[in-house]
Amino acid sequence: MATQTGMATPSGSAARSESAGETVAERAERQASFGFRDVAVEAKQGMVDAVFHKVAARYDLMNDVMSAGMHRIWKDAAVSWLAPPRGRPFEVVDVAGGTGDIAFRIVGRSGGSAHVTVADINASMLDVGRERAEKRHLADNVDFTLGNAEELPFESGRFDAYTIAFGIRNVPRIEKALAEAYRVLKPGGRFLCLEFSAVDVPVLDKIYDVYSFNLIPGMGKLVAGDAESYQYLVESIRRFPHQERFADMIRRAGFSRVSYRNLTGGIAAIHSAWKT
């Protein structure tokens, strides 16, 4: 189990910024990471939106570049762990899943019994998802809704499951997104998150760093004409909390039976939890 150590934070007046008159914690609440940069929380969403407006039409290609094609296997693994039931209604909200990758897999795995509401803050991603749903004749099983993960436009206790794949690291306030996940789930509902994570295999971590920082942005420029977006996505993975820390965040949101499974040596991980 991974552990973290750190220096104690001074309290009282010593913890206040001399220039701003605010505590370190207060300053942190105003900031969010955008790749390796810290930006104002209010600015991050617009910056992330700009990235995904650019990559929406090439989303599958983007994920193939980022994961060397493994994202398809990882998504299958996540939906297998979710195990949507066949033969009875099962209502799912898939957050930040605009192009429908997870939603379509859930419907297929359920034999058509599941209904998935895809909520994404990015209209370009939703446009791609709607078009793909029509081509797959799944429009009756999948709805697409413009929505912010931090303030979902759904009533409390509506869904049997909440899924999010490769999206939560782009949310400015992850704690708020987790609180919303808890709110919209029914008692006994399932939370399932697939996200890039921290490699825990010696040597593989070094190889992955070389691949990520030296090859992915270059491939993004070559195949999509966009190195900058891919550079951000690589950096955002490194800033995301490692597996144990993220599991603690899920627990603090009120979930129980929190667990995770590493995929491909921790390059990605699936986090599972339940609302009691």
Side-chain angles (χ1 to χ4, degrees):
M1 181 178 294
T3 60
Q4 287 185 302
T5 60
M7 297 179 63
T9 301
S11 60
S13 59
R16 294 207 167 260
S17 163
E18 293 180 1
S19 59
E22 62 184 353
T23 65
V24 172
E26 288 168 345
R27 186 166 62 253
E29 288 178 357
R30 294 191 299 103
Q31 294 181 328
S33 64
F34 182 77
F36 286 159
R37 288 185 287 156
D38 288 327
V39 300
V41 167
E42 295 78 9
K44 177 173 178 173
Q45 191 62 67
M47 298 168 75
V48 171
D49 284 350
V51 170
F52 282 91
H53 279 305
K54 287 194 287 185
V55 304
R58 306 182 188 93
Y59 182 71
D60 282 339
L61 178 61
M62 178 196 76
N63 281 329
D64 282 332
V65 170
M66 294 286 291
S67 69
M70 291 296 295
H71 73 100
R72 301 172 190 274
I73 296 171
W74 298 338
K75 288 172 181 174
D76 287 341
V79 174
S80 292
W81 198 9
L82 179 66
R86 290 173 172 263
R88 67 174 176 84
F90 188 69
E91 192 165 8
V92 183
V93 59
D94 182 44
V95 178
T99 62
D101 264 8
I102 294 294
F104 303 151
R105 283 172 166 82
I106 291 171
V107 173
R109 181 65 183 259
S110 73
S113 296
H115 185 276
V116 183
T117 299
V118 176
D120 201 301
I121 201 169
N122 191 287
S124 297
M125 298 284 282
L126 290 169
D127 288 342
V128 173
R130 290 189 187 97
E131 182 178 347
R132 294 178 70 192
E134 291 288 346
K135 289 180 179 178
R136 287 166 171 75
H137 306 289
L138 293 175
D140 291 339
N141 293 89
V142 184
D143 295 329
F144 294 86
T145 300
L146 193 67
N148 188 332
E150 296 180 3
E151 297 179 11
L152 292 172
F154 310 118
E155 65 270 23
S156 299
R158 172 177 167 178
F159 296 101
D160 297 293
Y162 171 114
T163 59
I164 183 167
F166 304 121
I168 202 161
R169 75 181 189 280
N170 297 310
V171 176
R173 303 173 183 88
I174 293 174
E175 292 86 352
K176 289 191 69 174
L178 292 172
E180 278 292 271
Y182 190 88
R183 181 185 68 79
V184 301
L185 281 170
K186 298 175 181 178
R190 180 86 174 274
F191 170 87
L192 200 78
C193 174
L194 170 63
E195 188 53 87
F196 288 109
S197 200
V199 177
D200 65 351
V201 176
V203 181
L204 178 60
D205 57 348
K206 306 300 183 185
I207 296 171
Y208 184 50
D209 275 346
V210 171
Y211 173 72
S212 297
F213 290 104
N214 296 319
L215 296 180
I216 287 179
M219 287 191 291
K221 184 174 182 178
L222 179 65
V223 302
D226 182 8
E228 184 178 356
S229 294
Y230 288 78
Q231 183 69 35
Y232 156 71
L233 292 166
V234 168
E235 293 175 359
S236 70
I237 294 168
R238 296 305 188 275
R239 292 294 297 270
F240 188 70
H242 63 64
Q243 290 90 320
E244 282 294 334
R245 184 180 169 199
F246 185 51
D248 285 340
M249 294 174 71
I250 297 170
R251 293 186 189 98
R252 289 198 299 271
F255 288 100
S256 61
R257 296 164 59 191
V258 178
S259 60
Y260 64 84
R261 295 177 179 177
N262 282 337
L263 303 171
T264 318
I267 292 176
I270 313 169
H271 288 260
S272 172
W274 301 82
K275 177 177 177 177
T276 54

